[in-house]
Amino acid sequence: MPSAGKPAIDVIRHEDLVRLAIHRGPALSVFVPTARHGPETLHGPTRLRNLIRSVTDDAEAAFGADIARLLVEPLQALADDSAAWQRQADGLALFATTTELRQFRLPITLAVDAVVGDRFRLRPLLDSVSGDVFYLLALAQNSVRAFEATRRSIDELPNDHLPASMDDALRFEDPERQLQSQSVGGTDVRFHGHGAGKELDKQALERYFRAVDRGLVELLGPTSLPVVLACVDYYLPIYRDITNLANVVDTPVPGNPEHRSAAELHAAAAPLIEATQEQRATAIATRYHELAGTGHTLTDLGALADAAGHGRIETLLVAGGDSTELDAQILTQVDHVIADAITTGATITVVQPSLIPDSTVAAILRY
């Protein structure tokens, strides 16, 4: 779990997926909806205890009592750890082997589920790595706020790592520069002192933005998740030039964000993320349909399993939505295809079910 002051989610990186995908042997995958605040946080451990009771018999039948005990004991310890349930997001994914328990706190609501097998169930994780999760940076001269968001929710992150304002970021600047800043209409900044006005403005903004970026990188850690800026338009290209973040979205939430609420910022940012991801998914689905009938696509699960195992899948399209409604045997096959595709370097894309209406998964082949 991240320490206090860090985001309440655990970003799932590619290496995490690979590590889960390559596992073979006794495996227990558990998914629990959780709550960030209030009395609803008490429901999480109760749900987990109920799942433990329901899945223990399955684990004993599959692997014997001793292996089952090794799988469920860490889950029971987590259920009894009251402090852990006060540091949750919207969903908790747990992956237990006989030697370790891996936990991912996710900003998406998960359906209650527990699965025993010789491989992990990975499908519920894909929404967290497919662009549904993003960060929002509200960047103004007089304030800086960072948020963790999905298309449906937003939460402000602690600002311990971020400067409070431009004045705060530049207060230790060389006094010889004799810079004094003043707000112009709440959306611009002018500096008076030595130097050529406009160039000095940009240089000061760059220093300010570097201070903000350093703090944001410390706060978020290494991440490839999208970052949306809420700022006046001309801030975006300057910030993009200096940032160490991998994925700053091309279009900002325009205007001075100082006096806009989190809900207002989210209402403006979520469509930007949704449009970007839908364009990407639609483009991949269009390519898939263009290749259909040429021998470079597959939808049959048996054929997909063989292709995934031999590294033939270039792009795997996975239909979004609640997969728990599918037949258990189909779900297991889908998980095997996903795992093998991940370990052989395929691109995994979650798409609207309407884009691949005849299949739960489909593939574009390398050869």
Side-chain angles (χ1 to χ4, degrees):
M1 298 278 182
S3 60
K6 293 289 187 181
I9 66 169
D10 299 306
V11 175
I12 301 172
R13 298 175 177 85
H14 178 69
E15 55 265 33
D16 296 317
L17 285 176
V18 171
R19 186 174 173 186
L20 294 171
I22 64 176
H23 175 76
R24 302 291 186 275
L28 176 56
S29 309
V30 177
F31 306 97
V32 185
T34 54
R36 302 182 183 221
H37 313 291
E40 291 82 6
T41 57
L42 300 175
H43 298 324
T46 300
R47 292 188 182 108
L48 181 55
R49 291 188 185 98
N50 290 338
L51 284 172
I52 292 170
R53 284 193 289 270
S54 69
V55 83
T56 297
D57 289 343
D58 293 339
E60 289 180 349
F63 305 117
D66 290 341
I67 296 298
R69 177 178 52 79
L70 292 174
L71 291 174
V72 302
E73 277 186 348
L75 300 179
Q76 188 62 60
L78 176 62
D80 295 337
D81 183 358
S82 57
W85 298 95
Q86 304 303 313
R87 303 190 301 271
Q88 294 296 327
D90 304 309
L92 179 63
L94 304 168
F95 300 93
T97 70
T98 56
T99 57
E100 71 171 339
L101 173 65
R102 302 205 72 199
Q103 307 178 42
F104 296 96
R105 299 171 301 175
L106 307 177
I108 57 173
T109 301
L110 297 170
V112 176
D113 198 14
V115 183
V116 173
D118 60 359
R119 302 174 80 170
F120 289 123
R121 174 146 294 168
L122 301 180
R123 170 63 189 86
L125 293 184
L126 298 185
D127 284 333
S128 280
V129 294
S130 66
D132 189 68
V133 186
F134 67 97
Y135 296 111
L136 188 148
L137 176 64
L139 181 59
Q141 178 190 343
N142 297 316
S143 70
V144 183
R145 292 176 291 163
F147 301 86
E148 158 202 310
T150 71
R151 298 181 199 182
R152 298 168 293 279
S153 65
I154 186 167
D155 280 277
E156 186 164 358
L157 297 173
N159 62 359
D160 303 353
H161 298 275
L162 301 172
S165 65
M166 188 166 188
D167 283 348
D168 181 43
L170 303 184
R171 70 184 185 276
F172 297 119
E173 289 280 319
D174 182 353
E176 291 298 318
R177 294 186 180 276
Q178 301 176 17
L179 296 178
Q180 294 179 338
S181 64
Q182 67 181 29
S183 176
V184 179
T187 63
D188 198 358
V189 59
R190 292 180 184 165
F191 289 85
H192 306 286
H194 302 300
K198 289 186 178 179
E199 182 61 28
L200 188 58
D201 290 355
K202 184 179 179 184
Q203 290 176 0
L205 285 172
E206 286 175 346
R207 292 195 301 276
Y208 173 35
F209 292 168
R210 285 195 179 94
V212 171
D213 196 64
R214 284 193 299 270
L216 195 59
V217 170
E218 287 180 18
L219 178 63
L220 303 181
T223 181
S224 60
L225 291 175
V227 178
V228 177
L229 257 63
C231 62
V232 294
D233 287 341
Y234 69 92
Y235 279 14
L236 179 64
I238 300 174
Y239 190 86
R240 284 176 61 88
D241 282 346
I242 63 90
T243 185
N244 290 298
L245 296 166
N247 194 9
V248 176
V249 175
D250 292 337
T251 304
V253 173
N256 180 11
E258 283 185 30
H259 304 297
R260 301 178 74 177
S261 68
E264 290 171 330
L265 292 171
H266 182 258
L272 299 177
I273 291 294
E274 185 169 359
T276 298
Q277 296 305 321
E278 286 186 356
Q279 287 171 5
R280 178 176 178 271
T282 300
I284 291 173
T286 298
R287 180 167 173 254
Y288 162 77
H289 288 296
E290 289 173 346
L291 291 171
T294 67
H296 287 84
T297 64
L298 286 175
T299 57
D300 177 76
L301 267 178
L304 281 166
D306 181 72
H310 288 87
R312 293 179 58 213
I313 294 180
E314 173 202 284
T315 302
L316 186 70
L317 289 74
V318 182
D322 184 4
S323 61
T324 59
E325 297 178 0
L326 296 175
D327 176 81
Q329 185 175 357
I330 291 176
L331 271 176
T332 298
Q333 289 178 289
V334 168
D335 275 310
H336 289 184
V337 170
I338 290 170
D340 287 340
I342 288 170
T343 57
T344 55
T347 298
I348 313 294
T349 301
V350 177
V351 300
Q352 294 294 329
S354 60
L355 294 177
I356 48 172
D358 299 324
S359 182
T360 305
V361 286
I364 299 172
L365 301 179
R366 293 189 173 108
Y367 59 91

